[in-house]
Amino acid sequence: MKAILIHHHGGPEVLEYADFPTPGPGPGEVLVRLEAAALNRLDLWVREGWPGLKVAYPHITGADGAGEIAALGEGVSGMSVGRRVVINSNLSCGECEFCIAGQDNRCVKWELLGETRRGTYAEYVVIPARNAYPMPEGFDAGQAAAAALAFHTAWHSLVTRADLRPGESVLVVGASGGVTTASIQIAKLAGATVYAVGSSPEKLELAASLGADYLIDRSKEENWSKAVYQLTGRRGVDVVVDNVGTTFPLSFRAACKGGRILTVGNTGGPKFEIDNRFVFGKHLSLIGSTMGTRQDFAAVMELIFAGKLRPIVDRVFPLAQAALAQERLQRGEQRGKIVLDIQP
Ligand SMILES: [Zn+2]
């Protein structure tokens, strides 16, 4: 098969479009012939490497993908060759206390496809059968791949962890990323009023097209918490979606008393100072989460398939141009998700 291989960590130049033996599914696994994959920031981090990350070279990155079942491993039932599927990239043991409790994204052996196991920047990928979720005939594989990780993550954070209720107000910090565009849509679908903070009029236009009710341009209002405070009649918002991290001081100010601050990432950097007086003084809850459960995946993908939620696809690159695609993501030029077209 054709795949994007990395033989050592580094910049986009280490991504090599080459031939690699097509893997075979082991017991309980399936082989998926991919039609599309989608990029995530994690792909860049895995490519660059971090202390403690151990991968078997050549490695193949990529968590998101959709296609059809090409072969079944021993003991796999309830699935057939040719069935179209979208991949849930959360790999879990199915046996630990968290898996048994339905919290498989807290699995003690949790890992993400493409991080330590070979992923979706390839014509074929092997995954556990339970990570293949049925996709309707005729549904665009690029849309499904673009939706999977971002919407799954946003759903788990807003709905499962924060228990978002109709009538609440949600501030989304960022207006154009995969998880932020998903968060805006999920918050609207849940019946919330949405405030979006974006870095440019173009990015805010996208947020508006997804249903954001109030737009705040941070290139004009550096202290955007003040704008939120004014827009909410000095109340603040119920929920802040902050996946930047370094913006927590502003998010704490923008939250109402008893507000919840959600975070699933740290695009602004992992370490920063917080003023604890806001946390106790305003009765704030800081809610962290990563990825989502199998139940969340089913819930959100059915809404995607029904057209109630719509992944924003920035641009589609052929698999061979994965390096160009990653450079675009690294420069932060994208609006929504970048997709790799694998088999036209
Ligand atoms: Zn487990």
Side-chain angles (χ1 to χ4, degrees):
M1 67 173 183
K2 291 290 185 194
I4 300 291
L5 307 178
I6 61 170
H7 295 274
H8 54 90
H9 296 297
E13 71 284 351
V14 305
L15 300 172
E16 184 198 0
Y17 180 66
D19 287 304
F20 189 72
T22 304
E29 295 178 331
V30 293
L31 177 69
V32 177
R33 187 185 71 87
L34 291 159
E35 296 167 38
L39 273 66
N40 291 289
R41 217 152 258 289
L42 179 90
D43 307 347
L44 308 180
W45 297 332
V46 172
R47 190 201 66 213
E48 287 162 3
W50 62 81
L53 174 67
K54 286 197 178 70
V55 303
Y57 294 116
H59 186 56
I60 301 172
T61 63
D64 275 329
E68 64 171 41
I69 304 278
L72 302 176
E74 203 186 306
V76 174
S77 58
M79 243 176 229
S80 52
V81 170
R83 182 76 210 246
R84 296 183 85 227
V85 295
V86 58
I87 295 172
N88 174 358
S89 55
N90 286 244
L91 307 177
S92 55
C93 75
E95 293 169 351
C96 71
E97 59 168 313
F98 296 106
C99 284
I100 288 166
Q103 299 174 327
D104 53 281
N105 58 338
R106 301 182 192 182
C107 175
V108 296
K109 292 181 183 164
W110 185 88
E111 55 181 331
L112 197 73
L113 187 66
E115 188 174 342
T116 44
R117 263 177 81 133
R118 292 193 180 108
T120 57
Y121 285 27
E123 288 180 319
Y124 292 88
V125 66
V126 165
I127 57 168
R130 64 171 180 269
N131 289 77
Y133 190 81
M135 173 171 74
E137 281 307 318
F139 194 85
D140 182 74
Q143 290 272 312
L149 191 149
F151 276 86
H152 192 195
T153 300
W155 183 271
H156 184 71
S157 179
L158 272 166
V159 178
T160 305
R161 294 282 285 137
D163 195 23
L164 181 63
R165 314 307 292 176
E168 289 195 306
S169 49
V170 176
L171 167 67
V172 180
V173 182
S176 62
V179 176
T180 50
T181 52
S183 297
I184 291 169
Q185 292 184 62
I186 291 168
K188 285 306 292 179
L189 190 66
T193 302
V194 175
Y195 299 75
V197 176
S199 59
S200 71
E202 296 75 38
K203 289 181 172 181
L204 285 166
E205 205 173 291
L206 175 63
S209 75
L210 300 175
D213 301 281
Y214 297 96
L215 309 173
I216 300 155
D217 187 342
R218 73 172 161 84
S219 66
K220 293 190 187 119
E221 303 211 50
E222 212 171 308
N223 182 4
W224 42 260
S225 66
K226 205 182 263 176
V228 174
Y229 213 58
Q230 282 160 358
L231 285 168
T232 56
R234 305 172 65 79
R235 177 187 181 271
V237 293
D238 296 296
V239 174
V240 184
V241 174
D242 186 338
N243 304 319
V244 181
T246 47
T247 45
F248 272 21
L250 292 173
S251 292
F252 288 173
R253 286 174 187 275
C256 71
K257 286 195 172 180
R260 292 101 86 200
I261 315 292
L262 311 184
T263 187
V264 301
N266 50 260
T267 56
K271 292 182 181 175
F272 45 86
E273 280 190 346
I274 62 171
D275 186 339
N276 191 34
R277 289 171 296 182
F278 283 96
V279 181
F280 67 79
K282 291 181 74 173
H283 306 258
L284 298 180
S285 299
L286 180 55
I287 302 176
S289 73
T290 190
M291 308 298 160
T293 65
R294 289 160 55 77
Q295 199 181 358
D296 293 324
F297 193 79
V300 81
M301 289 314 299
E302 288 304 328
L303 290 167
I304 295 284
F305 296 148
K308 306 265 188 205
L309 297 170
R310 178 171 62 95
I312 304 304
V313 173
D314 168 69
R315 202 179 278 188
V316 181
F317 290 84
L319 178 63
Q321 291 178 12
L324 285 176
Q326 284 203 353
E327 282 170 4
R328 181 171 173 79
L329 178 61
Q330 197 134 26
R331 287 192 301 263
E333 290 170 354
Q334 81 289 355
R335 283 196 275 169
K337 300 290 287 184
I338 299 173
V339 167
L340 297 176
D341 185 8
I342 297 186
Q343 296 188 354

